[in-house]
Amino acid sequence: MRGARSSASPTTPRNSDICCGSSSMEIGRQLLSLNVLCADARTGRYYRADAPIDFAIVATLVRLSHKYQIDDVREAYLARMKTCFCTDVTAWDAVVCNHGSSAMTYHEEDAIAAVNIAQLTGEESMLPSALFTCCLLDTRFLLDSLFRLEGTDGCLSAEGITRCINARSALFQNVVSTVMELSDHVLATSVRRIHHLGDGCRGVFLSMRQQVLYLSPEMLLRDAFSSKANTMRALQMEGRLCEDCANCYCEAEQGRLSNFWARLPQILGIKTPKDWPRE
């Protein structure tokens, strides 16, 4: 693909080529090469392995390469997509914070296309994180997607929409219970430490319990798998939280987020992919 840019100017497949017996596979390869060249011309750059590409381009290349059975191209661009719709909760947290990965950028609305591509290509490992992202979308937007042209990137099936809406209540419950359990765990642990006499730590975790009750559902969902380790360390640096309580919280949080992430396919009502982490 890199070499294609430096070759002679591209031409579309001629009728004589088709009439003379050129296979649909070869025509597909030519069309895919043209698509890549045209996209390169718009962006003014090659699709280097170390440079992020917009989701829309990645999705187009995956669909074309899948249609024409160009496996190496399909796998290369599916790999980019899977850096965002991934199986690791720590990687997911970073993707959400950065609105993409080092290989691909995306918008939350792209999750509908990601669901369709995962089902098209059989990449089941993308489904949980893609469907979870659909849960973050506005309900009206989800419902409207049902009436978009079936088979297009913007159309989510009735089954997919139902899964997202049904999963939200379970996700809310898990988010709230996780915050409550973490704060209770740290407070109970701190009480057992003889040298722990300060009230500052207690105030921090009681405040966290109160805040989660007043956050909007949208905020709760967006932070469902986000680590608060950086916040804990910042509070520690400010002297508002002791090192023992900060360590206790961070260690407990990692385990609870991992278990919550492992249950995500079950919460969404889908089969757990074979390479998805287990509790």
Side-chain angles (χ1 to χ4, degrees):
M1 292 173 64
R2 183 185 293 273
R5 182 72 179 271
S6 60
S7 62
S9 59
T11 57
T12 55
R14 296 173 299 178
N15 290 336
S16 58
D17 292 334
I18 300 174
C19 293
C20 291
S22 293
S23 66
S24 61
M25 183 76 71
E26 180 57 32
I27 296 171
R29 288 183 183 277
Q30 293 181 47
L31 289 172
L32 183 55
S33 296
L34 282 173
N35 184 78
V36 174
L37 287 168
C38 290
D40 272 352
R42 289 196 302 270
T43 61
R45 67 174 185 229
Y46 295 111
Y47 295 152
R48 303 198 320 266
D50 60 346
I53 305 176
D54 184 73
F55 176 90
I57 296 174
V58 175
T60 298
L61 294 173
V62 168
R63 286 187 178 279
L64 277 172
S65 57
H66 180 80
K67 178 177 181 179
Y68 293 109
Q69 302 176 34
I70 310 173
D71 296 341
D72 54 340
V73 175
R74 181 188 62 205
E75 294 306 314
Y77 286 93
L78 273 175
R80 284 184 182 264
M81 196 172 290
K82 288 191 287 186
T83 63
C84 289
F85 299 100
C86 51
T87 61
D88 181 78
V89 66
T90 303
W92 171 256
D93 190 12
V95 163
V96 172
C97 289
N98 298 320
H99 304 288
S101 67
S102 60
M104 188 184 78
T105 59
Y106 76 103
H107 302 284
E108 287 179 352
E109 292 82 0
D110 294 327
I112 292 177
V115 168
N116 292 329
I117 287 174
Q119 294 170 335
L120 173 70
T121 60
E123 288 290 345
E124 294 182 349
S125 66
M126 287 171 43
L127 268 179
S129 56
L131 271 175
F132 171 73
T133 307
C134 289
C135 292
L136 305 179
L137 299 175
D138 180 74
T139 302
R140 173 54 59 188
F141 185 86
L142 279 177
L143 293 174
D144 286 347
S145 73
L146 182 62
F147 302 103
R148 299 185 188 112
L149 184 61
E150 186 175 356
T152 62
D153 282 347
C155 176
L156 188 62
S157 68
E159 181 181 13
I161 294 172
T162 302
R163 291 187 191 282
C164 291
I165 294 176
N166 287 343
R168 283 177 174 174
S169 59
L171 288 166
F172 290 142
Q173 180 182 5
N174 274 270
V175 172
V176 173
S177 63
T178 296
V179 173
M180 298 297 186
E181 289 170 7
L182 280 171
S183 58
D184 287 348
H185 170 74
V186 179
L187 288 171
T189 303
S190 68
V191 168
R192 292 195 295 268
R193 292 198 298 271
I194 296 175
H195 66 279
H196 192 280
L197 301 175
D199 292 329
C201 299
R202 180 178 178 82
V204 167
F205 294 110
L206 289 178
S207 176
M208 286 179 58
R209 291 170 61 92
Q210 289 295 318
Q211 287 176 5
V212 75
L213 299 177
Y214 296 102
L215 287 175
S216 67
E218 293 79 10
M219 288 296 296
L220 283 174
L221 277 185
R222 291 183 192 285
D223 291 342
F225 298 104
S226 296
S227 171
K228 293 181 175 58
N230 289 338
T231 301
M232 295 297 111
R233 296 307 177 190
L235 290 171
Q236 179 187 339
M237 292 292 292
E238 294 170 5
R240 298 169 56 192
L241 192 65
C242 74
E243 182 179 2
D244 286 339
C245 283
N247 290 341
C248 182
Y249 182 93
C250 292
E251 291 171 5
E253 181 195 56
Q254 184 177 10
R256 281 169 171 75
L257 286 182
S258 296
N259 289 337
F260 186 10
W261 182 255
R263 297 197 306 271
L264 183 58
Q266 179 183 352
I267 293 171
L268 292 167
I270 61 175
K271 179 181 177 182
T272 301
K274 61 181 180 180
D275 51 353
W276 192 261
R278 264 56 175 182
E279 291 187 69

